[in-house]
Amino acid sequence: MTPSGAPLTWTHRLLQLGPTFYTRLQPSPVSNPVWVARNSGLLDQLDWPDDLLGDAHLPAFAGNALLRGSDPVATVYSGHQFGVWAGQLGDGRALWLGEAASACGPHEIQLKGAGRTPYSRMGDGRAVLRSSIREYLCSEAMHGLGIPTTRALCLVASPQTVVREDVETAAVVTRVAPSFLRFGHLEHFAARDQVEALRQLADHLIEHHLPEARERAHAWQGNVYAGLLDEVQHRTAALLAQWQAVGFCHGVMNTDNMSLLGLTIDYGPFQFMDGFNPGHICNHSDTQGRYAYARQPNIAYWNLYCLGQALVPLIGDQDLTVAVLEGYKTAFPRALGDAMRAKLGLTHELASEPLREADWTLVEDLLQRMAAERVDYTIFWRRLSQAMASEDGTWSFEAPHWQAVTDMLLDRPALLAWLQRYRERIGECPAAVLGARMLRVNPKFVLRNHLAETAIVQARQGDFSEVVRLQQLLQSPFDEHPEMEAYAGFPPDWASQLEISCSS
């Protein structure tokens, strides 16, 4: 392929591990590529050249050319899928172009949907426009919410056909992250008893991505690999707490879809919940409900246990490994408690340790009320924030700003009783101060399924304006955007009929 002249400074530290960890290959071209969306904001943050997303580089981001200096590979990994060991997997439709220096440190660039690789397992290596739009938008929506995630640099579409349940068209989304390494990368070499390769990969992680492991090792007899597991589990606990707090369902929390850096990765059948339902299953393919919303924290622990087993040959002590993993049982509840307390404005001066248990009871009681009536999760929290921000100290729950909250539950007396407990908990702290804080925690806009679906339907007709509009909106989801009020409303009736599966 003819190189495209993007002036990036490449480092390619992953390639130093050697060919045991990847296969070099070229992307497969698509026909007649066109831009769908370009993320100039991310380009600015990384301080990459402005012309990187210019028309001259469209062929490179379509897989029809190479960025100058890139060295594309597909990496090998294994993993557990829906709780069952799946054996060797790998980048079946993702191609790692390399690692480039940026203002935010070295970042890897990956094309998703660039064609068949040695790890495609009878697949075509392509991604469809539908799922690519969802991934592009959701990765940027998560970043806007302040949740760790891979990012999306650009999205390219092609009229080339791809067969899934129906005939669809192809797309290539360019993803960016400090690293795309997953739990499954370590599992792969542990399962094959390739201990030296396992050690080499773990050392790479510690050296280049998770140096905090060395500090954590002090608590584990100086065992740096125990420190690595501990660092990954704390990042994972923090991530899961943020998912739960915002009502996000991942849908496919297989070990090969879990980032070792604690990033949200692989947006497939995800969903931001509409009506609050702890048992909600967003993935139509998940017939047993393994990855239901309320189960996500325990699945993360299960996945961490698998990771711990993979690291036992390096840690050298099964009991020590289990002892490290016990930390999740403390780290996650604390992270979730802090996240939910923040949604109520209970931070800073109101965060004294003796009050945590009582605060969690307050949170649980509210969530039980919401679940009983399937109250819209995002709208309720936003209205509560707005009511607090508007409260002048009279605390009349008949006032319009409070009625917007109390009208959301049929059991109004129960909600009023809860609000009175909440008021008592706040004490003398000005409600407006807490409300302003809450408005920066509880978003007005999330990427609901029906919003993504509308953008997809239009994009299939060649109109990508809704993708661009949503991208811009979701970059600042806590702002009011009065001209975009409809995007913050209740979902239409047809939204409940949408089915999102693993097919992409």
Side-chain angles (χ1 to χ4, degrees):
M1 288 185 173
T2 302
S4 177
L8 292 173
T9 302
W10 300 91
T11 53
H12 299 323
R13 293 176 299 180
L14 183 66
L15 298 186
Q16 297 170 15
L17 293 173
T20 301
F21 300 87
Y22 53 78
T23 300
R24 278 190 165 93
L25 73 162
Q26 302 290 301
S28 301
V30 294
S31 61
N32 303 313
V34 295
W35 295 112
V36 175
R38 289 171 271 189
N39 194 345
S40 59
L42 175 57
L43 199 69
D44 291 343
Q45 289 174 32
L46 297 173
D47 196 24
W48 284 349
D50 292 340
D51 66 352
L52 184 63
L53 293 180
D55 290 344
H57 296 123
L58 173 61
F61 291 115
N64 295 6
L66 292 180
L67 291 175
R68 186 174 300 278
S70 64
D71 194 350
V73 304
T75 66
V76 62
Y77 52 81
S78 297
H80 288 82
Q81 298 192 325
F82 288 90
V84 178
W85 178 247
Q88 179 177 300
L89 301 167
D91 291 328
R93 57 198 171 103
L95 203 59
W96 186 92
L97 297 183
E99 182 185 52
S102 83
C104 304
H107 270 61
E108 299 175 1
I109 305 174
Q110 189 182 77
L111 301 182
K112 184 174 181 179
R116 188 176 285 112
T117 79
Y119 315 112
S120 296
R121 297 193 301 165
M122 306 300 291
D124 57 19
R126 293 298 182 193
V128 299
L129 180 62
R130 161 180 50 87
S131 62
S132 299
I133 288 174
R134 285 173 56 83
E135 171 147 4
Y136 180 87
L137 289 175
C138 198
S139 57
E140 291 311 295
M142 293 292 266
H143 177 73
L145 291 167
I147 299 176
T149 179
T150 60
R151 301 290 303 278
L153 182 63
C154 60
L155 175 58
V156 174
S158 164
Q160 188 168 317
T161 57
V162 178
V163 179
R164 295 295 182 260
E165 286 93 342
D166 299 307
V167 177
E168 303 189 51
T169 57
V172 180
V173 60
T174 299
R175 308 193 294 188
V176 173
S179 173
F180 288 96
L181 289 172
R182 309 143 183 270
F183 288 19
H185 280 96
L186 291 169
E187 283 188 288
H188 177 79
F189 297 103
R192 292 175 172 240
D193 199 28
Q194 294 178 270
V195 177
E196 286 312 306
L198 177 66
R199 188 185 309 277
Q200 190 179 356
L201 184 56
D203 289 347
H204 170 87
L205 270 166
I206 295 166
E207 177 67 24
H208 298 301
H209 301 295
L210 299 174
E212 299 87 349
R214 296 191 184 96
E215 183 64 31
R216 291 197 181 274
H218 296 320
W220 305 109
Q221 306 166 23
N223 191 314
V224 71
Y225 302 111
L228 173 62
L229 178 60
D230 199 14
E231 178 63 23
V232 174
Q233 89 170 345
H234 274 84
R235 288 176 178 235
T236 302
L239 177 67
L240 266 291
Q242 290 175 284
W243 284 4
Q244 300 301 107
V246 80
F248 176 76
C249 306
H250 184 279
V252 197
M253 288 178 62
N254 298 330
T255 58
D256 59 293
N257 292 339
M258 297 290 292
S259 162
L260 287 162
L261 272 61
L263 309 175
T264 313
I265 192 171
D266 288 346
Y267 292 92
F270 68 82
Q271 185 177 9
F272 289 90
M273 277 193 296
D274 294 327
F276 182 63
N277 173 14
H280 181 68
I281 304 165
C282 71
N283 181 358
H284 187 61
S285 303
D286 186 8
T287 55
Q288 302 302 311
R290 176 179 175 82
Y291 298 134
Y293 167 79
R295 292 182 176 177
Q296 292 184 141
N298 285 340
I299 291 296
Y301 178 73
W302 192 93
N303 290 342
L304 284 162
Y305 191 88
C306 292
L307 177 62
Q309 289 300 108
L311 287 171
V312 165
L314 303 184
I315 295 173
D317 186 329
Q318 177 79 29
D319 292 340
L320 178 60
T321 304
V322 172
V324 173
L325 290 168
E326 284 295 302
Y328 182 84
K329 298 177 182 178
T330 301
F332 171 73
R334 186 175 185 87
L336 180 62
D338 287 346
M340 297 306 295
R341 294 173 76 255
K343 292 177 76 67
L344 290 170
L346 302 177
T347 56
H348 304 302
E349 69 274 11
L350 299 178
S352 58
E353 196 67 35
L355 293 172
R356 288 182 179 275
E357 186 173 343
D359 286 346
W360 184 247
T361 300
L362 192 67
V363 169
E364 280 193 314
D365 289 349
L366 175 60
L367 293 179
Q368 288 175 8
R369 294 291 177 192
M370 293 173 67
E373 300 188 30
R374 300 292 192 265
V375 173
D376 189 283
Y377 190 78
T378 300
I379 293 177
F380 179 87
W381 284 107
R382 187 68 179 187
R383 287 189 180 183
L384 181 64
S385 305
Q386 290 170 327
M388 288 288 286
S390 301
E391 178 54 47
D392 60 5
T394 60
W395 287 100
S396 171
F397 292 128
E398 301 301 323
H401 57 278
W402 283 111
Q403 285 189 343
V405 177
T406 58
D407 285 351
M408 292 195 69
L409 268 72
L410 294 175
D411 191 348
R412 192 170 184 272
L415 179 57
L416 288 172
W418 182 89
L419 287 171
Q420 185 59 40
R421 289 168 57 199
Y422 180 39
R423 174 187 175 182
E424 292 169 0
R425 168 65 183 89
I426 291 167
E428 297 302 316
C429 187
V433 172
L434 299 190
R437 187 181 298 163
M438 292 162 66
L439 288 170
R440 305 308 304 171
V441 173
N442 297 308
K444 181 173 181 177
F445 303 94
V446 294
L447 183 62
R448 296 179 186 260
N449 270 351
H450 74 277
L451 298 178
E453 183 65 16
T454 299
I456 290 165
V457 169
Q458 293 186 17
R460 284 172 167 164
Q461 304 301 316
D463 179 1
F464 306 130
S465 61
E466 191 67 8
V467 175
V468 174
R469 186 175 297 110
L470 282 172
Q471 176 190 339
Q472 294 172 346
L473 174 66
L474 294 167
Q475 287 172 345
S476 50
F478 302 102
D479 296 345
E480 281 299 319
H481 299 287
E483 73 284 2
M484 306 289 281
E485 198 68 31
Y487 290 78
F490 290 98
D493 291 341
W494 57 264
S496 64
Q497 305 303 313
L498 292 172
E499 293 183 349
I500 311 299
S501 73
C502 292
S503 170
S504 59

